[in-house]
Amino acid sequence: MPPVIADPSLLRVLIVLAVTQLIAWGTLSLPAVIGRAMAADLEMELTAVFASTTVLYMSMGLCSPLLARPFVKHGGRRVMIAGTLLAAPGYALLSAAQGPLTYYAAWLLLGIAGSATLSTASYIVLNEIAGLRARSAIGALMLVTGLSSSIFWPVTSALSAHIGWRSTCLVYAGLLLLISLPLFVFLLPRRVRDHLPPSSDAAAPAPASPPSRGTFYLLVGASGLNAFVAFGMGAVLIELLKAEGLSAAEAVGFGSMLGVIQISARAIDFLGGDRWDGISTAIVAGLALPVAMLLLMLSDGSHAAIGGFILIYGLGSGALAVARATMPLVFYDKAAFAKASAQIGLPLNLLSAVSAPILVELLTRYGSNAPLALSLACSCAAVVILLLLRQRRPMRATVSS
C-alpha cells in the first residue's frame, strides 16, 4: 500500500479532517486565553469560568456511548455534520450568556456537539475510509491537530481585543457553518459499505473472535489513566513549574517547549509506519512518564532536571496521545471500531474532566510533589495494564502500510 499521504483520495480526507479538527479544538480554547475577560463580564469567579472544561468533558463523556449506534448505522460523516450543526448554536448561546446558568448551558451544548465532532469521530471516519491504513492516517492527522492551540490562542486573543469575546464566539460559530460544515458535506466521502473486492481492505485478516469484556476494560483502564495524567498535567504544568522554583517567565518558556516535543514524538511514531502497533507505542511511551515524574520530584529546582522532565514527559505524552487513539485497532476490526471507540469515550472524558481539579487541589494544598506522586502512580498502573494487554494481543501479523 502507498503511504497515506501519497494516496490522493485519502489525503483529501486528511486535509478536511485536519482543518475541521483545528477549528473544533481551537475554538474551544476560549477560557484558556480570555478567561479573565469572560469572568469580569459575567461577574463570575475565574475558577468558575474554567469549570467550563469540566462541563465540556463530562457532557462529551456521557454522550459518547449514546453515539455508538449512530456511528455504526449512519457513519462518521453524518454524525459529524449533525454535531457541527449543534456546535454553532452553542457558540451563539455562549456569546449571549448573562451568568452561570446560560454560560454552563452553552458549554453543555458544546460538549454534546463535541462528542460527535472531535477526535473520536474523526478517528472513526478514518477507520471507515482508510481501513488497514487507519493507524497511519490517525498518526498523520494528529501531527496537525496538535497545533490547534498554537494557531488559535493568538487568533482568539487578537479577535477578543478588537471585537470583544462575545463577538469572537459568533465568529467561531460562523467558522463552523461556513468552513467546517461545507467541508463535511461536499468533500468528505460517504461511507463505503463492506462489499469491497478481495484485493481491498475487506480481505484483511480480522480477529478470530471479538475481544472479551476483560480486554475492553483493560483498554479503558490504560487509556483512562494516561488521559488523566495528560489532561491534568497540561492544565497545571505552568503552576507546577512555578512551585518548583521557576519564575513566571521561565515556567512559560519551559512549558512552551512541551507542544513542540509532543509533536516531534507523534512524528517519530508516524514515520515508523506500521512497524509497531498502538500497544507497543503505549508501553514504550508509558515507561517514560514515571521516569519524568521522578526526575522532577528529585530536581530540587534544577533547570537541567526540569528541562529533562519536559523532554522525557513531552516525548512520552506525545506518543501516548497517538497510542490512545490507535490501541483499539489492535483488538477491533473495522466494523467494531466505531462502537468500541464511542464506548471508551465515556470513561476517558470523565477522567479528563476531573483530572485538572484534582491535581490543582493537590498542588495548592500539598505542593508540587503531591500531583507528581499521583501522576507517577497512575502512569505505573497504566504500564502494568498495558503489559497485560500485550498478552491478549490477537495472534495475527501486524498490518503493514
Side-chain angles (χ1 to χ4, degrees), residues 16-30 56 60 80 83-84 87 91 107 110 113-119 122 145 148-149 152 172 175-176 179-180 184:
V16 168
L17 291 177
V19 172
T20 53
Q21 288 295 292
L22 281 172
I23 292 174
W25 280 112
T27 54
L28 289 173
S29 64
L30 280 163
L56 177 75
M60 282 176 59
M80 294 187 85
T84 303
Y91 283 109
W107 285 103
L110 289 171
S115 65
T117 58
L118 293 175
S119 300
S122 65
T145 56
S148 61
S149 60
F152 270 85
Y172 287 168
L175 282 181
L176 293 172
I179 296 180
S180 297
F184 288 143

Side-chain angles (χ1 to χ4, degrees), residues 286-298:
L287 289 170
L289 264 60
V291 174
M293 303 303 166
L294 281 173
L295 182 60
L296 191 57
M297 290 173 74
L298 301 174

Side-chain angles (χ1 to χ4, degrees), residues 67-112:
L67 291 177
R69 180 168 297 193
F71 273 126
V72 173
K73 183 177 180 180
H74 302 294
R77 173 181 173 273
R78 289 187 177 182
V79 175
M80 294 187 85
I81 289 172
T84 303
L85 289 170
L86 189 62
Y91 283 109
L93 178 59
L94 184 60
S95 73
Q98 297 298 321
L101 182 62
T102 46
Y103 177 75
Y104 292 132
W107 285 103
L108 178 65
L109 191 58
L110 289 171
I112 296 171

Side-chain angles (χ1 to χ4, degrees), residues 2-376:
V4 292
I5 57 175
D7 183 335
S9 60
L10 189 50
L11 180 60
R12 183 186 71 179
V13 174
L14 283 170
I15 292 173
V16 168
L17 291 177
V19 172
T20 53
Q21 288 295 292
L22 281 172
I23 292 174
W25 280 112
T27 54
L28 289 173
S29 64
L30 280 163
V33 183
I34 54 175
R36 291 191 179 277
M38 298 171 79
D41 193 9
L42 295 169
E43 298 182 349
M44 294 170 59
E45 295 290 335
L46 184 61
T47 53
V49 167
F50 275 92
S52 59
T53 303
T54 301
V55 175
L56 177 75
Y57 283 113
M58 289 286 282
S59 55
M60 282 176 59
L62 292 172
C63 289
S64 187
L66 302 178
L67 291 177
R69 180 168 297 193
F71 273 126
V72 173
K73 183 177 180 180
H74 302 294
R77 173 181 173 273
R78 289 187 177 182
V79 175
M80 294 187 85
I81 289 172
T84 303
L85 289 170
L86 189 62
Y91 283 109
L93 178 59
L94 184 60
S95 73
Q98 297 298 321
L101 182 62
T102 46
Y103 177 75
Y104 292 132
W107 285 103
L108 178 65
L109 191 58
L110 289 171
I112 296 171
S115 65
T117 58
L118 293 175
S119 300
T120 297
S122 65
Y123 304 154
I124 289 172
V125 168
L126 285 176
N127 181 63
E128 292 171 352
I129 296 170
L132 295 180
R133 293 171 291 174
R135 182 178 184 275
S136 296
I138 290 172
L141 177 64
M142 295 183 76
L143 285 175
V144 180
T145 56
L147 300 173
S148 61
S149 60
S150 300
I151 295 172
F152 270 85
W153 281 10
V155 170
T156 298
S157 179
L159 279 175
S160 181
H162 283 85
I163 61 176
W165 71 268
R166 294 182 183 275
S167 295
T168 300
C169 291
L170 294 177
V171 169
Y172 287 168
L175 282 181
L176 293 172
L177 294 176
L178 298 177
I179 296 180
S180 297
L181 185 61
L183 287 176
F184 288 143
V185 172
F186 298 113
L187 293 182
L188 203 60
R190 288 171 172 80
R191 180 172 58 177
V192 178
R193 295 293 178 180
D194 296 330
H195 54 269
L196 301 175
S199 60
S200 70
D201 292 342
S209 59
S212 66
R213 295 301 295 175
T215 298
F216 173 79
Y217 293 137
L218 289 174
L219 274 172
V220 168
S223 300
L225 287 170
N226 279 321
F228 178 90
V229 174
F231 282 89
M233 290 297 294
V236 306
L237 181 63
I238 300 301
E239 294 302 320
L240 185 68
L241 295 180
K242 290 180 184 178
E244 288 291 323
L246 297 186
S247 67
E250 289 173 332
V252 171
F254 274 100
S256 64
M257 296 163 50
L258 186 62
V260 176
I261 296 170
Q262 288 173 329
I263 292 295
S264 300
R266 296 181 186 185
I268 293 170
D269 186 77
F270 172 70
L271 293 173
D274 291 308
R275 295 180 181 88
W276 52 79
D277 61 19
I279 300 296
S280 300
T281 296
I283 291 173
V284 174
L287 289 170
L289 264 60
V291 174
M293 303 303 166
L294 281 173
L295 182 60
L296 191 57
M297 290 173 74
L298 301 174
S299 68
D300 197 28
S302 164
H303 282 48
I306 293 173
F309 162 78
I310 293 291
L311 176 62
I312 298 171
Y313 174 74
L315 290 173
S317 60
L320 277 170
V322 180
R324 285 196 300 273
T326 59
M327 281 194 297
L329 292 170
V330 177
F331 299 98
Y332 294 92
D333 61 18
K334 184 175 181 179
F337 178 79
K339 181 178 180 181
S341 296
Q343 290 176 336
I344 291 171
L346 171 58
L348 200 66
N349 282 295
L350 292 182
L351 285 169
S352 301
V354 301
S355 59
I358 290 175
L359 293 190
V360 167
E361 181 69 13
L362 288 174
L363 178 64
T364 54
R365 280 183 176 270
Y366 306 109
S368 61
N369 278 353
L372 287 171
L374 178 58
S375 299
L376 172 65

